[in-house]
Amino acid sequence: MSNIQEKVGQLIERREKAALGGGQKRIDGQHAKGKFTARERIHMLLDEGSFEEFDMFVEHRCVNFGMEKEHYFGDGVVTGYGTMDGRLVYVFAQDFTVYGGSLSKTMSEKICKVMDMAMRQGAPVIGINDSGGARIQEGIDALAGYAEIFQRNVMASGVIPQISAIFGPSAGGAVYSPALTDFIIMKKNTSYMFLTGPKVVKTVTGEDVTQEQLGGASMHTTKSGVAQFAVETEEEGFELMHKLLGFLPQNNMEDAPLAVCNDPISRLEDALNEIVPDSPNKPYDMYEVIRAVVDNGDLLEAHESFAKNIITCFARFNGQSVGIIANQPKYMAGVLDINASRKAARFVRFCDAFNIPIVTFVDVPGFLPGTGQEYGGVITHGAKLLFAYCEATVPKVTVTLRKSYGGAYIVMSSKHIRGDINYAWPTAEIAVRMKKNIRYVGVYRARLIAAGMITSVARGMVDFALPYLREYLRDHAAHLVASRE
């Protein structure tokens, strides 16, 4: 055997060893938990035969706590590039079979390398997370590795699409990288995200809580809003990534790909005449409106189970990808609150960064009142949505379906904040406040005029002030009239 053939044989052996990660026993353990390995996940995600791996033989450099005695090729992460439906993407997948997918300095260098390449090439980056956190044997080097990744997440934000899949644990500092990306997909029952685990929570607060309750997919897609999507299986997650990427451009300098449209642009939808009720207080399903007007009734909703009073989804008009924001009268009357404002603001800013036109369907009675909202900073969060719409320079089309009252009218992409085209449904009503409140104001105004308490000069001032003084006048008007007499 020639020297070259011998070296080629050694290379093949090393590749076969690298493919086993932490060994066959740990691979079997991963499968027993209903989870795939890092390489299996990448091959399921990418087009067949397109994956090109980087740094397959990298090993950690730690010599503390006996770590110098144990080495694995790849050091717990598989990185490289490939194609999804023919489009270039960069990808990394943490390998739980190697030190529980814990992050070392060399692992962070591998991840940073593919993120840097993705930014240079202007291609999306997808991270598949399955990690127990920092590799504590490496101490501050592991923390520094996280910081390097976070820095690149921020640099890539709004430049290339970033998608995170959480298919296992993601604890401690590991949660911040997904949180800095554009979309998070979590698998139910086997994935979780939290800064401190149940044991720490028990020690510090006395609360008994499970991993699923503290940071599972259901919690993060319904209560915290940290994750946009929850899936039943990893296969479903990969299909979702393909569909999501189909609505997105490669980077912020390109447009989203055009899809073939077989939905006639001249199509009339008679059902739209019946969807919006005559009564301003009767609920209806905004999804029926959206599906009636978009191509083939097809849409992809982000944050479907979080802040249901507002809808944020991708759809297409004549093959062109658009972002849709819509109040949902079927849930909390479509009112804006803290969570709805956060959810919509993030979506608007994403669409603006990646050249995706924004279509807004409005049916909003205003902002949700109450001490809970005020104490929680609804003013600040409502301002985030206002800022997002004001800042957006992509085409913005707004359709007011039924009602748009008060400050919520301004916030929901009104023409005064650079909405490009604003349509009004035949049933649309735009006003400072609801008719019921205006009727109350009129009653009190009439009573005060009859009592001689308002001069003609002051009437204009009272018309302005009465909405804010209504509660005071309701309690004290009789006393004031008696005092005047």
Side-chain angles (χ1 to χ4, degrees), residues 229-457:
F229 305 97
V231 295
E232 297 289 344
T233 64
E234 294 186 17
E235 294 94 332
E236 182 184 347
F238 296 133
E239 291 177 7
L240 178 59
M241 287 186 224
H242 279 263
K243 186 173 183 179
L244 175 59
L245 196 62
F247 287 101
L248 310 182
Q250 286 290 92
N251 53 67
N252 65 350
M253 301 298 289
E254 298 183 20
D255 294 326
L258 282 173
V260 176
C261 177
N262 53 18
D263 191 352
I265 195 171
S266 58
R267 170 174 60 87
L268 298 178
E269 191 62 57
D270 292 334
L272 290 171
N273 296 325
E274 308 295 333
I275 293 176
V276 181
D278 295 329
S279 171
N281 299 320
K282 186 176 180 180
Y284 64 96
D285 193 349
M286 185 63 78
Y287 289 110
E288 295 182 17
V289 176
I290 297 173
R291 289 195 173 96
V293 298
V294 301
D295 289 354
N296 303 311
D298 182 47
L299 58 88
L300 176 61
E301 184 173 2
H303 274 138
E304 180 179 1
S305 300
F306 175 70
K308 293 182 179 181
N309 40 321
I310 200 162
I311 298 168
T312 53
C313 64
F314 294 107
R316 293 186 177 88
F317 287 107
N318 201 29
Q320 167 71 55
S321 179
V322 299
I324 293 177
I325 298 94
N327 305 112
Q328 172 57 298
K330 192 176 179 180
Y331 191 86
M332 294 173 61
V335 70
L336 287 177
D337 61 359
I338 291 172
N339 288 340
S341 298
R342 287 173 46 214
K343 170 180 171 178
R346 181 184 179 101
F347 191 76
V348 169
R349 298 198 73 182
F350 176 84
C351 292
D352 183 47
F354 289 101
N355 312 311
I356 300 173
I358 298 169
V359 178
T360 307
F361 291 100
V362 182
D363 190 342
V364 60
F367 280 91
L368 182 65
T371 56
Q373 291 292 304
E374 297 294 348
Y375 295 168
V378 67
I379 296 172
T380 298
H381 294 291
K384 290 178 182 178
L385 181 54
L386 176 62
F387 186 97
Y389 270 122
C390 289
E391 182 190 42
T393 57
V394 294
K396 293 180 288 186
V397 177
T398 304
V399 183
T400 302
L401 277 72
R402 187 168 57 174
K403 56 183 177 292
S404 187
Y405 296 146
Y409 156 69
I410 300 172
V411 170
M412 291 298 294
S413 194
S414 65
K415 67 179 182 181
H416 316 290
I417 55 174
R418 298 195 302 177
D420 295 297
I421 300 177
N422 291 67
Y423 293 103
W425 212 267
T427 54
E429 182 181 275
I430 299 172
V432 175
R433 58 183 57 238
M434 295 174 63
K435 288 180 180 179
K436 183 179 180 181
N437 289 341
I438 293 174
R439 185 167 65 249
Y440 288 152
V441 171
V443 169
Y444 287 118
R445 180 179 184 276
R447 288 179 180 175
L448 291 175
I449 291 174
M453 295 180 63
I454 304 178
T455 66
S456 58
V457 175

Side-chain angles (χ1 to χ4, degrees), residues 3 46 59 75 81 91 119 145 168 170 183 238 247 333 346 349 363 367 461 472 480:
N3 188 43
L46 301 180
E59 298 177 348
D75 199 31
Y81 70 89
V91 62
M119 283 186 279
S170 184
F183 297 98
F238 296 133
F247 287 101
R346 181 184 179 101
R349 298 198 73 182
D363 190 342
F367 280 91
M461 297 175 61
Y472 176 82
L480 290 174

Side-chain angles (χ1 to χ4, degrees), residues 55 57-72 74-75 99 103-110 135 137-139 141-142 144-145 148:
D55 304 322
F57 305 130
V58 165
E59 298 177 348
H60 71 75
R61 299 187 291 269
C62 181
V63 295
N64 300 320
F65 306 101
M67 290 292 289
E68 71 279 3
K69 300 175 184 178
E70 190 174 14
H71 291 269
Y72 297 95
D75 199 31
Y99 300 119
L103 186 124
S104 66
K105 182 64 174 175
T106 50
M107 179 194 283
S108 71
E109 290 170 352
K110 290 181 64 175
R135 194 172 300 172
Q137 294 91 335
E138 297 201 12
D141 283 342
E148 294 283 353

Side-chain angles (χ1 to χ4, degrees), residues 88 90 115-124 160 250-251 254:
L88 175 66
Y90 286 80
M115 294 180 74
D116 289 339
M117 295 184 72
M119 283 186 279
R120 286 198 299 269
Q121 296 297 321
I160 56 174
Q250 286 290 92
N251 53 67
E254 298 183 20

